[in-house]
Amino acid sequence: MKSKIAVLALASSFISYTAQADINLSGFASITGGITTSSDETLYGFNDTFDFKNGSLLAIQASSNIGEGLDITAQIVSRGENDWDTEFEWAYVSYNVNDKFRVLAGRQRAPFFMYSDFLDVSYAYPWITPPKGVYDLIFNTFDGLSGIYSSTLGEFDTTYHFIAGNNSDEIEVFGEKSSPNMDNILGGAATFNRDWLTLRAAYFNADVSIPSTGLDGLANNWNAFGYPKFADNTRIFEDKATFTELGFQIDYEGILVVGEYTTLKIDNTLLGEEESYYVMLGKRFDRYLVHITYGVDEDTAANDFTSVIPSGTPLDALKVPTQDVITSQKNDSSYVTVGLRWDFHSSASLKFEYTGFNDDLNGANDAGLFRTSLVTVF
């Protein structure tokens, strides 16, 4: 029902407005199926039952130029993993100050990554989805303001994208639904392009609060026993988060090389620092692209602030679960994805991929995943 209401509301707004301005409609879709190679494996939401729901989506984008440099854009997306409920992914107004500078206000994509602008448009990149290790932030949109400035620097075409805003979308974290507050999101990305070479860098920070029944309860107990500093380090409340990204792309005579490196750190919490990267090598053969990607995710555990308390005391009831949370944040994994893209149509592609995932801390998490996807733009 929510899906129908959203679509009807968007459609009615188009109809009522066509008398005054032209509405440009476009869209994209991915129909993705996947299955793991063993009955005891799960990876990226897939298991040993062939599933066409997880990873599939349909989106429609509407934009209108209402004159004098002012544009309105909205995008609705239905995802199979959400039972095809429809949500507004984007809804913003933009104003072209001049030929080089553009201002946007509303819900929009945060430029965290190289492929952020078309994160859900599988047709726009080689893989079925971008490498999960790097592209794993708990949110990718924000409500606020941004500015995009395009210029040149020597022989490079440059784009600078700055944002300011917040996000409070519901997520699943620590095994429960939560509505975090990502406040005072500030930062920007710079992209430099020259012929076959693209270079990119991004930096963002925010004040992060993530309600969690488990962590908040543990923090309250630390506070009750007279350890307010431990309580502050246990709960995630108005803690500073810092995200950095570096990326490059080489697209030269049929050879495609892409790489990204990211770090994420949230100060004064049980969460350690996340560090991820991938490198992809591809070769085009007419309408075919063969590619291989190697990626690594290394999450270091936060400092164990409870180590100053001796073991074997009643405080073990708080110390042990706190240490368990700290230890659970460690990650040392890698993956290799081999894929084939076939552009059988001017607006559609068929993709096949196999991913081998290895967990160096727990071999029970090792998995193999085969996926295929029909992707299109319209």
Side-chain angles (χ1 to χ4, degrees):
M1 179 61 70
K2 289 191 299 182
S3 302
K4 294 179 180 178
I5 292 174
V7 172
L8 289 173
L10 188 60
S12 63
S13 66
F14 298 158
I15 295 170
S16 63
Y17 197 73
T18 50
Q20 302 179 41
D22 291 331
I23 302 296
N24 298 312
L25 291 177
S26 60
F28 54 90
S30 297
I31 306 301
T32 302
I35 186 172
T36 56
T37 55
S38 178
S39 60
D40 59 350
E41 296 176 349
T42 60
L43 187 63
Y44 307 154
F46 292 93
N47 54 32
D48 65 328
T49 301
F50 204 87
D51 177 20
F52 269 102
K53 207 171 182 182
N54 183 31
S56 295
L57 60 86
L58 172 67
I60 297 175
Q61 180 171 307
S63 61
S64 177
N65 185 322
I66 59 178
E68 299 182 1
L70 201 60
D71 295 90
I72 298 176
T73 301
Q75 183 183 103
I76 57 173
V77 180
S78 295
R79 302 179 189 274
E81 62 189 19
N82 297 332
D83 292 326
W84 297 103
D85 285 344
T86 300
E87 297 180 351
F88 275 89
E89 197 86 357
W90 298 354
Y92 63 83
V93 177
S94 61
Y95 177 67
N96 296 316
V97 179
N98 52 44
D99 292 340
K100 294 184 177 182
F101 186 52
R102 185 182 182 208
V103 179
L104 298 85
R107 163 144 293 213
Q108 52 196 288
R109 184 80 73 194
F112 293 135
F113 308 106
M114 182 174 296
Y115 295 101
S116 285
D117 286 346
F118 27 86
L119 188 59
D120 295 320
V121 189
S122 182
Y123 185 81
Y125 42 75
W127 315 273
I128 292 175
T129 57
K132 294 286 189 180
V134 168
Y135 287 73
D136 72 341
L137 288 183
I138 59 176
F139 72 102
N140 53 56
T141 58
F142 73 100
D143 302 304
L145 299 172
S146 70
I148 303 175
Y149 180 74
S150 301
S151 185
T152 57
L153 182 65
E155 296 184 351
F156 283 85
D157 295 323
T158 61
T159 301
Y160 306 95
H161 191 168
F162 302 99
I163 70 171
N166 55 68
N167 180 287
S168 57
D169 292 342
E170 184 181 76
I171 61 171
E172 184 170 334
V173 60
F174 300 114
E176 62 179 291
K177 295 286 186 179
S178 178
S179 295
N181 290 315
M182 313 294 176
D183 295 325
N184 303 316
I185 302 172
L186 296 171
T191 303
F192 307 88
N193 178 260
R194 179 181 181 274
D195 297 328
W196 45 265
L197 175 64
T198 299
L199 302 174
R200 190 180 191 276
Y203 176 85
F204 300 89
N205 57 51
D207 297 323
V208 177
S209 299
I210 305 179
S212 167
T213 302
L215 292 186
D216 292 344
L218 195 57
N220 291 337
N221 288 331
W222 277 119
N223 203 46
F225 276 88
Y227 290 86
K229 183 63 175 177
F230 287 9
D232 289 342
N233 287 342
T234 301
R235 66 170 56 92
I236 305 173
F237 180 71
E238 296 183 352
D239 294 306
K240 182 66 69 176
T242 303
F243 174 81
T244 59
E245 185 260 5
L246 296 173
F248 75 93
Q249 176 176 292
I250 298 171
D251 193 345
Y252 183 73
E253 294 189 353
I255 301 293
L256 180 64
V257 185
V258 183
E260 284 185 271
Y261 168 83
T262 61
T263 64
L264 173 65
K265 182 174 177 57
I266 305 178
D267 296 333
N268 303 318
T269 69
L270 300 181
L271 307 179
E273 182 174 359
E274 299 181 12
E275 186 176 15
S276 302
Y277 68 85
Y278 73 84
V279 177
M280 189 215 76
L281 173 64
K283 178 69 171 72
R284 293 188 180 91
F285 300 93
D286 193 19
R287 294 184 297 170
Y288 298 90
L289 171 66
V290 179
H291 59 88
I292 182 170
T293 301
Y294 174 73
V296 171
D297 304 308
E298 294 180 346
D299 303 346
T300 57
N303 292 328
D304 181 9
F305 53 82
T306 69
S307 60
V308 298
I309 298 177
S311 300
T313 72
L315 286 176
D316 281 354
L318 301 180
K319 179 178 179 178
V320 172
T322 302
Q323 290 177 331
D324 287 344
V325 174
I326 292 174
T327 302
S328 70
Q329 302 306 304
K330 293 183 65 176
N331 179 26
D332 187 359
S333 60
S334 61
Y335 55 89
V336 175
T337 296
V338 179
L340 170 68
R341 170 179 176 149
W342 173 31
D343 294 328
F344 68 92
H345 187 276
S346 60
S347 299
S349 298
L350 189 60
K351 300 182 179 184
F352 303 91
E353 284 183 4
Y354 174 78
T355 298
F357 176 85
N358 292 289
D359 187 335
D360 292 337
L361 299 180
N362 185 358
N365 293 328
D366 292 355
L369 172 65
F370 171 77
R371 288 186 295 172
T372 183
S373 186
L374 173 64
V375 302
T376 183
V377 292
F378 53 88

